[in-house]
Amino acid sequence: MDKYRIDSHKLMYHISRVNEWLGAKKTIYPIYMEVSPSGACNHRCTFCALDFMEYQKRYLETRMFQKRLSEMGRLGIKSIMYAGEGEPLLHKHIVDIIIHTKKVGIDVAITTNGVLLRKTLAQKILGHIEWIKVSINAGTDENYANIHGTKPSDFNKVIKNLTDAVKIKQENNYNCTLGMQMLLLPENQHEVIVLAEIAKKIGVDYIVIKPYSQHLKSKTDRYKGIKYRPYLHIADELQKLNCQNFNVVFRLNTMSKWDDHSQKYENCIALPFWSYIDAGGNVWGCSAYIGNKKFLYGNINDEPFQTIWNGEKRAKSLEWVENCLDTNQCRVNCRMDEINRYLWEIKHPPAHVNFI
């Protein structure tokens, strides 16, 4: 069961934007963006992909960013997920940022470790958010502390915060979808069912079990050689927990790609549809290549987003990606993998496509 299409993609619901791209329209603005409001983080997870960014205590300047958000709304950006190299809820003005994002017509989502998602905060933001996904990577407090690099008490804080959020959502009839996400690791595979049962009991809408993905610049590589075939049997047990109000998403499709490293496209062609902004305001073409200046388009502290998106740096970056980037060297299961597969098939159809 994957009613949210988490293990796939949703670009087919944006046919007009895809048609603009197919028609070689000069500028295609992103549909979706990931933004890091905070570079700091209150955890030190063993699997952290962005540990090389050093958890810098830097934050997007609120007024500047709100101005850019208004601009991005006018340009047709449809959604922003606040996550990134740090914990987004550490930004002191995250409530104002969320409310403004929704006000200018951009859908809002958050991926968070959930420790700071206290009742008072949840009451302020749930009515403005499409979904919140909490990263919680164990089913017991001690194992959670070891994997997240924090205190065991944080585990119970997160469970309480989610329990309160569910109650707030129900009492106010909010549409915000509440979920958990667990990265499947050797250290937590025996607690997957435990966490899924907790998720169902407290009333969240879903839990995602996903595979590890090695970032090209990550300091940690302890999970680089992980194989997922030994864990696939867990999916059968998890399916028993599915019901009308609770969805288990065991990402079999993504896990199979991690194990066999197969690829169905020769070039990365998905970059026009998304972008990433780090906590320093840098606009990147690909989160897997943060730090590589070939993928740096500009900085929203210095100039408007539209200027950056239409600028020479981005044009040269896309040209380099098209002609020089070896996608076999890219991060396995990158954000845009499924989008690339979809777009590549559209541009390279098989024979007999008229026989629908």
Side-chain angles (χ1 to χ4, degrees):
M1 252 175 99
D2 185 13
K3 67 180 183 179
Y4 304 107
R5 295 188 65 86
I6 293 171
D7 204 24
S8 182
H9 73 92
K10 296 180 274 288
L11 188 58
M12 76 285 288
Y13 300 113
H14 300 276
I15 297 299
S16 60
R17 198 78 59 102
V18 174
N19 281 337
E20 289 176 354
W21 172 77
L22 284 169
K25 183 179 177 181
K26 187 175 181 180
T27 302
I28 305 295
Y29 289 104
I31 294 170
Y32 163 68
M33 297 187 67
E34 293 182 12
V35 176
S36 179
S38 164
C41 191
N42 51 351
H43 284 182
R44 292 294 184 269
C45 299
T46 58
F47 54 82
C48 182
L50 298 178
D51 54 4
F52 66 94
M53 299 189 77
E54 304 288 353
Y55 313 106
Q56 301 171 59
K57 291 184 177 180
R58 58 179 186 172
Y59 307 89
L60 289 176
E61 200 283 314
T62 305
R63 289 189 179 180
M64 175 280 301
F65 185 54
Q66 287 177 326
K67 184 177 179 180
R68 299 292 183 252
L69 284 170
S70 298
E71 176 197 4
M72 289 189 279
R74 292 192 299 270
L75 294 173
I77 283 78
K78 293 183 177 295
S79 66
I80 291 178
M81 180 181 75
Y82 290 115
E85 73 262 29
E87 166 53 47
L89 299 186
L90 279 170
H91 195 292
K92 292 181 179 179
H93 301 124
I94 192 65
V95 173
D96 295 332
I97 288 172
I98 289 168
I99 291 173
H100 189 80
T101 307
K102 188 62 179 178
K103 181 181 178 181
V104 299
I106 302 174
D107 288 343
V108 187
I110 296 179
T111 296
T112 170
N113 61 41
V115 175
L116 301 176
L117 188 63
R118 301 183 184 97
K119 187 175 181 179
T120 51
L121 177 61
Q123 288 170 331
K124 294 175 183 176
I125 66 175
L126 286 190
H128 306 276
I129 294 182
E130 298 298 311
W131 55 263
I132 298 176
K133 189 186 297 176
V134 173
S135 177
I136 178 168
N137 298 283
T140 59
D141 56 1
E142 193 167 331
N143 202 24
Y144 176 89
N146 290 333
I147 293 172
H148 280 254
T150 188
K151 305 179 295 294
S153 58
D154 274 2
F155 178 81
N156 293 318
K157 285 181 184 176
V158 173
I159 298 303
K160 183 182 186 305
N161 289 345
L162 275 171
T163 303
D164 289 341
V166 169
K167 186 176 180 182
I168 292 166
K169 171 187 172 178
Q170 293 172 345
E171 289 176 347
N172 293 277
N173 199 29
Y174 290 145
N175 291 321
C176 179
T177 301
L178 298 171
M180 289 183 183
Q181 176 173 280
M182 182 189 221
L183 195 64
L184 185 56
L185 305 170
E187 297 96 317
N188 65 19
Q189 51 86 21
H190 61 291
E191 293 181 352
V192 174
I193 304 298
V194 173
L195 184 63
E197 288 174 341
I198 291 172
K200 185 174 182 177
K201 180 180 179 181
I202 66 175
V204 299
D205 298 291
Y206 69 86
I207 184 170
V208 179
I209 313 299
K210 64 177 286 188
Y212 176 75
S213 177
Q214 180 69 44
H215 195 284
L216 304 175
K217 295 189 69 176
S218 241
K219 291 182 178 180
T220 180
D221 62 358
R222 65 191 290 179
Y223 305 112
K224 189 174 182 179
I226 190 172
K227 297 293 182 183
Y228 281 100
R229 285 188 184 88
Y231 306 136
L232 298 185
H233 66 278
I234 299 173
D236 295 330
E237 288 298 310
L238 288 170
Q239 291 306 311
K240 298 174 184 177
L241 296 174
N242 278 322
C243 64
Q244 185 176 356
N245 298 319
F246 182 70
N247 188 201
V248 178
V249 182
F250 192 89
R251 297 190 63 175
L252 283 168
N253 176 43
T254 313
M255 289 183 193
S256 66
K257 287 188 291 183
W258 171 259
D259 279 356
D260 63 27
H261 290 200
S262 64
Q263 199 176 76
K264 305 296 183 184
Y265 48 91
E266 296 176 13
N267 304 104
C268 179
I269 52 180
L271 299 189
F273 296 95
W274 96 296
S275 189
Y276 178 91
I277 299 177
D278 68 26
N282 296 303
V283 181
W284 299 94
C286 178
S287 61
Y289 288 96
I290 292 174
N292 185 331
K293 290 187 177 180
K294 287 187 173 69
F295 292 85
L296 178 59
Y297 297 165
N299 190 297
I300 58 172
N301 288 298
D302 302 328
E303 52 190 346
F305 182 81
Q306 185 173 15
T307 302
I308 293 170
W309 202 252
N310 293 326
E312 185 179 352
K313 285 184 179 180
R314 179 172 172 269
K316 287 184 176 179
S317 178
L318 292 178
E319 183 180 355
W320 185 86
V321 167
E322 181 179 355
N323 297 315
C324 303
L325 180 66
D326 180 4
T327 55
N328 289 307
Q329 303 302 313
C330 286
R331 185 180 186 182
V332 178
N333 284 325
C334 82
R335 291 280 192 206
M336 293 293 106
D337 181 65
E338 285 293 324
I339 301 294
N340 268 313
R341 290 169 185 253
Y342 172 69
L343 294 173
W344 188 262
E345 190 172 356
I346 290 176
K347 279 214 161 185
H348 301 83
H352 313 147
V353 294
N354 291 335
F355 295 88
I356 61 173

